[in-house]
Amino acid sequence: MDQIKAFISHSSDDALYVDVLINLIGKNSLVVDRFCFESGERTIDEIIKSIDNSAIFIVLLSRSSLDKDWVKKELAIIKKYIDSGVLKRFKPYIIDDTISYKYEKIPEWIKEEYNLRNIYIQPPFLARKIEEEVNKLIWEQCPDIRQDERVFVGRDTEIERLREKYLQRNLKDRKAVIVSGIPDGIGRRRLLTEFIRKIDTNKDETYDPFSVAMEEDDSIEDFIIQLNNLFFFERNEDLLQRISIINKTEKVNK
């Protein structure tokens, strides 16, 4: 199977965000080419070539990108290719928390046809979303891979026990699932992933949650480092030095 290629269009003002994004997803089966919404940097022919060569065409929407005249031209071309069926997968994502899906400079056809309610301020969340889209394509091209990854048997009792525990308390603002006591070697991550898919039917079947695995003798510092490596990317040495001067309660609250 050929590598799946995605094109990410963005404003040069969002380059640091994209650097992190590419670092997160570029090491898998995804080849990423990047272009900026800057007049003169891309010709019409280059845009068309990008569309022809991409399995997924991604546009990162921010106040900066939507303030540029060039983005209007690019999105107009994209719309034409979507309507003609040439471009099958177009994914616009908002990465700027100063705008929302109601922002007046977002074209109406994007507002009407795409769900823009989620804002991906942190690159890891968007990277995970893009990886889910890539997995959909892989499964379409290779049904056997989908079959292998979706096989999940013999765990119905455990799933039901988790579901009962989950439903025993107030469900408002649930952000995480924490499970202890499941020994190594029996697919803890797979079990919890399947459980989340069961309780949240809005999750795609390619959904892959963020996870942090803790051992009995791990410390709060170990937990903080894992979270940092997932979401914040501060140097671990700097982070440990910074948190070494605060007490345990402050570490938990921060």
Side-chain angles (χ1 to χ4, degrees), residues 28-68:
N28 298 317
S29 60
L30 179 63
V31 177
V32 180
D33 288 334
R34 55 191 289 179
F35 296 101
C36 293
F37 288 134
E38 305 298 338
S39 179
E41 291 191 5
R42 298 186 67 181
T43 66
I44 299 300
D45 288 342
E46 286 173 330
I47 296 172
I48 293 173
K49 183 178 179 181
S50 299
I51 294 172
D52 290 340
N53 292 334
S54 64
I56 307 173
F57 199 102
I58 297 166
V59 175
L60 304 185
L61 302 175
S62 65
R63 189 176 295 273
S64 173
S65 66
L66 292 166
D67 278 344
K68 298 182 184 299

Side-chain angles (χ1 to χ4, degrees), residues 17 20-21 24 95 119-127 231-233:
Y17 181 102
V20 175
L21 190 65
L24 289 169
I95 62 169
I119 300 177
Y120 296 90
I121 303 171
Q122 296 283 1
F125 291 96
L126 182 53
F231 305 116
F232 304 111
F233 310 109

Side-chain angles (χ1 to χ4, degrees), residues 144-195:
D144 290 344
I145 294 178
R146 178 185 183 277
Q147 180 64 26
D148 290 342
E149 294 189 5
R150 293 298 294 132
V151 171
F152 188 81
V153 296
R155 309 295 290 275
D156 291 345
T157 300
E158 292 165 289
I159 290 288
E160 186 57 29
R161 286 177 60 194
L162 286 171
R163 183 175 178 276
E164 289 175 0
K165 292 291 185 183
Y166 183 82
L167 295 176
Q168 280 177 359
R169 299 187 181 278
N170 188 356
L171 300 183
K172 185 179 179 181
D173 296 329
R174 288 288 172 88
K175 301 295 184 183
V177 176
I178 301 173
V179 176
S180 65
I182 301 178
D184 289 334
I186 65 167
R188 290 180 295 184
R189 179 182 173 84
R190 182 69 184 278
L191 175 66
L192 293 177
T193 299
E194 193 67 20
F195 165 66

Side-chain angles (χ1 to χ4, degrees), residues 79-246:
K79 178 67 162 63
K80 176 183 176 181
Y81 275 81
I82 291 173
D83 291 343
S84 65
V86 174
L87 181 60
K88 300 295 185 181
R89 289 186 185 267
F90 169 64
K91 298 294 178 180
Y93 298 109
I94 296 177
I95 62 169
D96 183 350
D97 62 356
T98 69
I99 66 174
S100 73
Y101 68 96
K102 297 180 181 179
Y103 187 51
E104 65 273 8
K105 293 187 179 181
I106 299 176
E108 288 300 320
W109 65 271
I110 294 181
K111 293 179 183 178
E112 293 172 0
E113 298 179 27
Y114 298 91
N115 181 5
L116 298 177
R117 291 181 180 271
N118 292 324
I119 300 177
Y120 296 90
I121 303 171
Q122 296 283 1
F125 291 96
L126 182 53
R128 188 61 60 94
K129 184 66 177 177
I130 292 172
E131 287 174 342
E132 289 176 13
E133 294 298 328
V134 170
N135 285 334
K136 290 179 186 178
L137 285 172
I138 293 173
W139 286 7
E140 287 177 8
Q141 295 177 16
C142 303
D144 290 344
I145 294 178
R146 178 185 183 277
Q147 180 64 26
D148 290 342
E149 294 189 5
R150 293 298 294 132
V151 171
F152 188 81
V153 296
R155 309 295 290 275
D156 291 345
T157 300
E158 292 165 289
I159 290 288
E160 186 57 29
R161 286 177 60 194
L162 286 171
R163 183 175 178 276
E164 289 175 0
K165 292 291 185 183
Y166 183 82
L167 295 176
Q168 280 177 359
R169 299 187 181 278
N170 188 356
L171 300 183
K172 185 179 179 181
D173 296 329
R174 288 288 172 88
K175 301 295 184 183
V177 176
I178 301 173
V179 176
S180 65
I182 301 178
D184 289 334
I186 65 167
R188 290 180 295 184
R189 179 182 173 84
R190 182 69 184 278
L191 175 66
L192 293 177
T193 299
E194 193 67 20
F195 165 66
I196 293 171
R197 289 174 180 156
K198 292 281 188 182
I199 62 174
D200 187 350
T201 55
N202 292 320
K203 299 295 185 189
D204 291 329
E205 60 179 354
T206 55
Y207 171 74
D208 185 24
F210 291 102
S211 65
V212 174
M214 303 291 294
E215 301 299 333
E216 185 177 1
D217 56 351
D218 284 343
S219 65
I220 184 66
E221 288 79 15
D222 294 319
F223 180 62
I224 291 172
I225 287 174
Q226 287 204 53
L227 292 179
N228 176 63
N229 292 339
L230 278 174
F231 305 116
F232 304 111
F233 310 109
E234 183 178 348
R235 289 180 67 249
N236 286 336
E237 294 83 358
D238 296 339
L239 177 62
L240 286 172
Q241 184 176 6
R242 185 161 58 83
I243 65 176
S244 65
I245 60 175
I246 62 177

